[in-house]
Structures are given as C-alpha cells and as structure tokens.
Amino acid sequence: MKRKRIVGAVLAALLAAALIALGTRGTAQRGQSGTVQLDKVAENVYMLTGRGGNIGLSVGDSGAFLIDDQFAPMTEPILAAVKSVTDKPVEFVFNTHHHGDHTGGNENMAKAGAHIVSHVNVRKRLAQSGSSGLPVLTFEDAAVFHWNGDEVRVFHAPNAHTDGDMMVHFKKANVLHMGDTFFSGRYPYIDINSGGSIDGLIAAVDSAFKIVNEETQLIPGHGPLSTLSDLKEYREMLITSRQRVLKLIEKGKTREEAVAAKPNADMDEQWGGGFISAERWVGSLYDSLTR
C-alpha cells in the first residue's frame, strides 16, 4: 500500500509538471490534420506553429489579423486557436510570400470571410499556379494597417527568399514577423526560380536591423520565437557561407566540386538540422552567386 501511495505521488507530480510546462508554452488546438500550438508573444500578439510556416496573430477590437495560414487542412485547428483568444472574426490574412506552407489555407480563410493581402508578386505567382485563394489587396512596397490599437507596418524585401517577401512589424507591440527571410537556427531555403537570392536575403536581414532592438520579439518563417541576438547570429552565418562559396567559384570549382568541398563543415552541425541540408545549402548559394 505504501508503495502504491509513493507511485501515485510521483505520477501526480509528473502530471503537475507537465501542466505547468504546457501553460508556459501556451495552448494547443487539434484538428483532423494536425495540431496548432498557440503562444503569446506580446500584448494581443501570438505565434501559431503547426504544419507549415509560423503564423502571426493580432487580436483586439478591430478583429483578428493573421500572418500566413499554412496548408489547407490546417484551417480548422488554426481557426480554433484564434477562437481560443478572441471572439472576433479573422478580418485579414497577410501572406508573407507565395509558398504553399504559408498560403495553402487562403481559399478556406476567404470563404470564412477573411480578406487575403500580399505583395503584388505573390498574387501573380499564386495565379500562375492555379490557386483559387488569391489575394484581393496587394502592395508594391509598403503599407500601414491601423489595427487593434497598433501600427502594423508591412514592407517588401526584394529578391530575398522569393521576389514577393514582405515583413510585418507590429510597432507598438515591438514584434516583427519576418516570414521566410528568417529561418531561425537553420539553413534557409532560397527559391531562386521565384526570384530569391543570397544577396537579397542578406539585404532583407539588414533592413530588419533598422527597426528592431534588444526587446523585439522576432517571429521567423521557420524555427522558434527569436531575439535580436539570434538574428545577428543568422546574419553572420549567411555572410560567412556566402564568402566561402564565392571563393570556390572564383577558383573555378564546379557546383558539384563546391558541394563536395563542404565549405561550411564547421557550421553544419548547428545550422544543418532543418529541411535544407548542408549540401543543398551550398548548392543554392552556388546557384545564386553564379546566376
């Protein structure tokens, strides 16, 4: 009997610890296609993670403002997560770029009453792919939403991850959603066929430095919620990788030879754990710098 009481106490302690840990991370919403984790970033601003790129969410009297919407099957748990923190409908869905892991839910969100917004190139590329979830409002360079008591500033990052990247800055909340111009803690994907480039990616990060500070919360397109120090480390990796691959190109190395040389071997363990492998990263750098 005494042993049973001890085991029961241990299990209770473990359950309590698990509940505490869940509270610090936020709440999770489940759907038939997956789970969405909701975490508070700042007053009225949240980050949602699930299957696809990280989502930003602003809530308040104006209505819900979503940044990206992952894949179509994720709409149900995403909307459930939104409803867990506000009774207001989703008024806007802002696409940071055109890739399906960020825009796949557009059609569903539009049917639910949201207005899809993006850079003009995002609409063009979605239209070319036959998507039916096209943005109804597009921008060339920048715009400001006066929404939920904040100034939500959106601005273009030319030819970075793609040719349609836009970042979203919640000025009052001091939160910046960088879309896929920032892969926190991992090698990024440069979609060269969609206008992306390593030089544009570095320029995008540099533009972010102009508006962030030590207190800014950064929502990357992929990876955990980040800070200014994480972004500085990311930029250093981009610069170093670019320089090393460029030297191989200047020596006349072919793409295959550059990849085989493993120029970033000392960084691969830290940065190569995402879906962009060390080899693929070198290849994309080579392609970008020689195109």
Side-chain angles (χ1 to χ4, degrees), residues 12 24 29 33 40 42 87 155 162 209 235 248 257 276:
T24 61
Q29 298 294 332
S33 57
K40 191 169 185 178
D87 58 359
F155 58 96
T162 67
F209 281 126
R235 183 185 185 276
L248 293 174
E257 289 171 337
I276 300 300

PDB file of all heavy atoms in Angstrom, residues 12 24 29 33 40 42 87 155 162 209 235 248 257 276:
ATOM      1  N   ALA A  12       1.442  12.046  -9.826  1.00  0.00           N
ATOM      2  CA  ALA A  12       0.777  13.337  -9.658  1.00  0.00           C
ATOM      3  C   ALA A  12       1.741  14.488  -9.869  1.00  0.00           C
ATOM      4  O   ALA A  12       1.407  15.504 -10.483  1.00  0.00           O
ATOM      5  CB  ALA A  12       0.147  13.416  -8.257  1.00  0.00           C
ATOM      6  N   THR A  24       3.274  27.301 -19.870  1.00  0.00           N
ATOM      7  CA  THR A  24       4.309  28.236 -20.306  1.00  0.00           C
ATOM      8  C   THR A  24       4.410  28.276 -21.811  1.00  0.00           C
ATOM      9  O   THR A  24       4.817  29.277 -22.381  1.00  0.00           O
ATOM     10  CB  THR A  24       5.676  27.844 -19.718  1.00  0.00           C
ATOM     11  OG1 THR A  24       6.030  26.533 -20.187  1.00  0.00           O
ATOM     12  CG2 THR A  24       5.647  27.829 -18.203  1.00  0.00           C
ATOM     13  N   GLN A  29      -4.417  23.380 -30.212  1.00  0.00           N
ATOM     14  CA  GLN A  29      -5.709  23.058 -30.803  1.00  0.00           C
ATOM     15  C   GLN A  29      -5.512  21.930 -31.803  1.00  0.00           C
ATOM     16  O   GLN A  29      -4.648  22.010 -32.670  1.00  0.00           O
ATOM     17  CB  GLN A  29      -6.309  24.290 -31.500  1.00  0.00           C
ATOM     18  CG  GLN A  29      -6.590  25.459 -30.564  1.00  0.00           C
ATOM     19  CD  GLN A  29      -7.676  25.149 -29.545  1.00  0.00           C
ATOM     20  OE1 GLN A  29      -8.558  24.332 -29.804  1.00  0.00           O
ATOM     21  NE2 GLN A  29      -7.616  25.798 -28.398  1.00  0.00           N
ATOM     22  N   SER A  33      -6.248  17.094 -39.174  1.00  0.00           N
ATOM     23  CA  SER A  33      -4.996  17.099 -39.932  1.00  0.00           C
ATOM     24  C   SER A  33      -3.769  17.433 -39.104  1.00  0.00           C
ATOM     25  O   SER A  33      -2.655  17.354 -39.592  1.00  0.00           O
ATOM     26  CB  SER A  33      -5.101  18.124 -41.066  1.00  0.00           C
ATOM     27  OG  SER A  33      -5.395  19.395 -40.525  1.00  0.00           O
ATOM     28  N   LYS A  40       1.704  33.184 -26.631  1.00  0.00           N
ATOM     29  CA  LYS A  40       1.630  34.636 -26.541  1.00  0.00           C
ATOM     30  C   LYS A  40       3.016  35.233 -26.699  1.00  0.00           C
ATOM     31  O   LYS A  40       3.968  34.810 -26.041  1.00  0.00           O
ATOM     32  CB  LYS A  40       1.019  35.064 -25.209  1.00  0.00           C
ATOM     33  CG  LYS A  40       0.679  36.550 -25.160  1.00  0.00           C
ATOM     34  CD  LYS A  40      -0.155  36.874 -23.932  1.00  0.00           C
ATOM     35  CE  LYS A  40      -0.586  38.336 -23.953  1.00  0.00           C
ATOM     36  NZ  LYS A  40      -1.452  38.662 -22.785  1.00  0.00           N
ATOM     37  N   ALA A  42       3.403  38.980 -27.267  1.00  0.00           N
ATOM     38  CA  ALA A  42       3.301  40.311 -26.669  1.00  0.00           C
ATOM     39  C   ALA A  42       1.824  40.568 -26.411  1.00  0.00           C
ATOM     40  O   ALA A  42       0.976  39.716 -26.700  1.00  0.00           O
ATOM     41  CB  ALA A  42       3.891  41.368 -27.602  1.00  0.00           C
ATOM     42  N   ASP A  87     -13.194  36.487 -29.689  1.00  0.00           N
ATOM     43  CA  ASP A  87     -14.483  36.142 -30.302  1.00  0.00           C
ATOM     44  C   ASP A  87     -14.700  36.924 -31.591  1.00  0.00           C
ATOM     45  O   ASP A  87     -15.758  36.824 -32.213  1.00  0.00           O
ATOM     46  CB  ASP A  87     -15.633  36.395 -29.325  1.00  0.00           C
ATOM     47  CG  ASP A  87     -15.696  37.852 -28.852  1.00  0.00           C
ATOM     48  OD1 ASP A  87     -14.841  38.660 -29.276  1.00  0.00           O
ATOM     49  OD2 ASP A  87     -16.605  38.176 -28.067  1.00  0.00           O
ATOM     50  N   PHE A 155       6.260  45.727 -45.227  1.00  0.00           N
ATOM     51  CA  PHE A 155       7.191  46.257 -46.217  1.00  0.00           C
ATOM     52  C   PHE A 155       7.879  45.133 -46.986  1.00  0.00           C
ATOM     53  O   PHE A 155       8.101  44.040 -46.473  1.00  0.00           O
ATOM     54  CB  PHE A 155       8.234  47.172 -45.560  1.00  0.00           C
ATOM     55  CG  PHE A 155       9.050  46.520 -44.484  1.00  0.00           C
ATOM     56  CD1 PHE A 155      10.304  45.990 -44.754  1.00  0.00           C
ATOM     57  CD2 PHE A 155       8.571  46.453 -43.177  1.00  0.00           C
ATOM     58  CE1 PHE A 155      11.058  45.398 -43.764  1.00  0.00           C
ATOM     59  CE2 PHE A 155       9.322  45.863 -42.172  1.00  0.00           C
ATOM     60  CZ  PHE A 155      10.566  45.331 -42.470  1.00  0.00           C
ATOM     61  N   THR A 162      12.110  34.946 -51.887  1.00  0.00           N
ATOM     62  CA  THR A 162      11.444  34.967 -53.191  1.00  0.00           C
ATOM     63  C   THR A 162      11.440  36.416 -53.668  1.00  0.00           C
ATOM     64  O   THR A 162      12.094  37.270 -53.065  1.00  0.00           O
ATOM     65  CB  THR A 162       9.987  34.466 -53.095  1.00  0.00           C
ATOM     66  OG1 THR A 162       9.224  35.411 -52.329  1.00  0.00           O
ATOM     67  CG2 THR A 162       9.904  33.100 -52.423  1.00  0.00           C
ATOM     68  N   PHE A 209      17.238  44.996 -39.188  1.00  0.00           N
ATOM     69  CA  PHE A 209      18.040  45.598 -38.121  1.00  0.00           C
ATOM     70  C   PHE A 209      17.699  47.072 -37.899  1.00  0.00           C
ATOM     71  O   PHE A 209      17.941  47.618 -36.819  1.00  0.00           O
ATOM     72  CB  PHE A 209      19.532  45.461 -38.431  1.00  0.00           C
ATOM     73  CG  PHE A 209      20.099  44.096 -38.131  1.00  0.00           C
ATOM     74  CD1 PHE A 209      20.783  43.388 -39.094  1.00  0.00           C
ATOM     75  CD2 PHE A 209      19.932  43.526 -36.880  1.00  0.00           C
ATOM     76  CE1 PHE A 209      21.300  42.134 -38.822  1.00  0.00           C
ATOM     77  CE2 PHE A 209      20.442  42.270 -36.591  1.00  0.00           C
ATOM     78  CZ  PHE A 209      21.125  41.571 -37.566  1.00  0.00           C
ATOM     79  N   ARG A 235      22.640  36.259 -39.473  1.00  0.00           N
ATOM     80  CA  ARG A 235      23.283  37.093 -40.495  1.00  0.00           C
ATOM     81  C   ARG A 235      24.750  36.716 -40.660  1.00  0.00           C
ATOM     82  O   ARG A 235      25.271  36.647 -41.782  1.00  0.00           O
ATOM     83  CB  ARG A 235      23.174  38.577 -40.134  1.00  0.00           C
ATOM     84  CG  ARG A 235      23.777  39.501 -41.202  1.00  0.00           C
ATOM     85  CD  ARG A 235      23.766  40.955 -40.759  1.00  0.00           C
ATOM     86  NE  ARG A 235      24.223  41.818 -41.832  1.00  0.00           N
ATOM     87  CZ  ARG A 235      25.498  42.075 -42.115  1.00  0.00           C
ATOM     88  NH1 ARG A 235      26.463  41.476 -41.389  1.00  0.00           N
ATOM     89  NH2 ARG A 235      25.837  42.887 -43.103  1.00  0.00           N
ATOM     90  N   LEU A 248      35.190  29.562 -53.706  1.00  0.00           N
ATOM     91  CA  LEU A 248      35.257  28.346 -54.512  1.00  0.00           C
ATOM     92  C   LEU A 248      34.890  28.635 -55.967  1.00  0.00           C
ATOM     93  O   LEU A 248      35.500  28.092 -56.899  1.00  0.00           O
ATOM     94  CB  LEU A 248      34.323  27.284 -53.932  1.00  0.00           C
ATOM     95  CG  LEU A 248      34.715  26.727 -52.555  1.00  0.00           C
ATOM     96  CD1 LEU A 248      33.633  25.793 -52.036  1.00  0.00           C
ATOM     97  CD2 LEU A 248      36.051  26.002 -52.629  1.00  0.00           C
ATOM     98  N   GLU A 257      31.776  20.191 -57.282  1.00  0.00           N
ATOM     99  CA  GLU A 257      33.027  20.303 -56.524  1.00  0.00           C
ATOM    100  C   GLU A 257      32.852  21.199 -55.302  1.00  0.00           C
ATOM    101  O   GLU A 257      33.409  20.925 -54.228  1.00  0.00           O
ATOM    102  CB  GLU A 257      34.133  20.850 -57.420  1.00  0.00           C
ATOM    103  CG  GLU A 257      34.604  19.861 -58.484  1.00  0.00           C
ATOM    104  CD  GLU A 257      35.546  20.493 -59.495  1.00  0.00           C
ATOM    105  OE1 GLU A 257      35.509  21.744 -59.661  1.00  0.00           O
ATOM    106  OE2 GLU A 257      36.326  19.742 -60.124  1.00  0.00           O
ATOM    107  N   ILE A 276      16.627  22.045 -45.051  1.00  0.00           N
ATOM    108  CA  ILE A 276      17.666  22.378 -46.017  1.00  0.00           C
ATOM    109  C   ILE A 276      18.979  21.794 -45.496  1.00  0.00           C
ATOM    110  O   ILE A 276      19.532  22.271 -44.510  1.00  0.00           O
ATOM    111  CB  ILE A 276      17.800  23.903 -46.215  1.00  0.00           C
ATOM    112  CG1 ILE A 276      16.474  24.479 -46.717  1.00  0.00           C
ATOM    113  CG2 ILE A 276      18.916  24.218 -47.202  1.00  0.00           C
ATOM    114  CD1 ILE A 276      16.002  23.917 -48.040  1.00  0.00           C
TER     115      ILE A 276
END
